[in-house]
Every structure is written in structure tokens, then in C-alpha cells.
Amino acid sequence: MNEEKRITNFEAAIICGVIVRIAQNLALKEKNIQERIGEIMGGKILDPEAIKIYDEGAESQQTSDFIEMVKDGVPLIKAKKYTRMSDEKLEQVKKKYNL
């Protein structure tokens, strides 16, 4: 019951990035505070572009998994549930792939 959960490096980088963004917004007019935050974080901030690339890859994998499930005979509604696809995304995929 005393199981320890660990976060991934990606999750840790996201958390660090959020903390820095909050601190930057709180100290927008204080350049020395922003510089000090950067020094403390030691450049561990994840580039927002990396987050975007990760999200796009995850979305592409979700679509790919969904299509494979449907090809294997899984009903659309179940494939949507198992891939955690949004209603909006489901409609886009159905239209694009004529499902």
C-alpha cells in the first residue's frame, strides 16, 4: 500500500517549465528576478516546441490505433473509448478515412 510512484523525465520537465512560466509572469517587470530563476532552474526548461511535437506524436498514434481497431472489427464507439478519442477528433477521423 506504500507504493512509490515516479514521474518521467518528460513530466518533470513540464512541471519545471510551468513553475518557471508562473514565476516569470509574477515578476515580469523584475529582470533580475527572471535571470535568477533561470540560474536556479539550470536550463531544465522544456522547449514548448518539444511539447507540441510530443502531443502531435501522441495524437498520430491515437489515430493510428483507432483505425487499426476499426479494421480489426472493433465497433467505432468501443475504439473511441479505448483510445480516449474526443467526439470532435472522432468526427474528423471518420470523415477523413470514410469510416
Side-chain angles (χ1 to χ4, degrees), residues 5 27 37 47:
K5 300 234 178 189
I37 290 169
D47 182 0

Side-chain angles (χ1 to χ4, degrees), residues 32-63:
N32 61 339
I33 292 175
Q34 288 182 19
E35 289 171 359
R36 184 71 180 120
I37 290 169
E39 290 170 13
I40 292 169
M41 295 305 293
K44 295 179 183 175
I45 303 165
L46 186 64
D47 182 0
E49 186 65 22
I51 296 170
K52 181 180 174 189
I53 291 168
Y54 176 85
D55 289 344
E56 288 172 356
E59 185 177 334
S60 175
Q61 184 64 50
Q62 178 191 50
T63 301

Side-chain angles (χ1 to χ4, degrees), residues 30-90:
E30 301 294 330
K31 186 166 177 64
N32 61 339
I33 292 175
Q34 288 182 19
E35 289 171 359
R36 184 71 180 120
I37 290 169
E39 290 170 13
I40 292 169
M41 295 305 293
K44 295 179 183 175
I45 303 165
L46 186 64
D47 182 0
E49 186 65 22
I51 296 170
K52 181 180 174 189
I53 291 168
Y54 176 85
D55 289 344
E56 288 172 356
E59 185 177 334
S60 175
Q61 184 64 50
Q62 178 191 50
T63 301
S64 195
D65 291 346
F66 178 85
I67 291 169
E68 286 301 312
M69 292 174 82
V70 171
K71 283 181 181 178
D72 287 345
V74 176
L76 290 176
I77 198 73
K78 282 192 177 185
K80 175 187 177 286
K81 175 184 173 185
Y82 297 145
T83 59
R84 297 186 177 133
M85 186 175 284
S86 70
D87 291 337
E88 181 182 334
K89 180 68 178 175
L90 173 64

Side-chain angles (χ1 to χ4, degrees), residues 4-23:
E4 194 174 308
K5 300 234 178 189
R6 299 198 182 269
I7 62 173
T8 65
N9 287 341
F10 181 78
E11 292 166 332
I14 296 253
I15 292 167
C16 288
V18 169
I19 291 169
V20 168
R21 283 187 210 104
I22 290 169

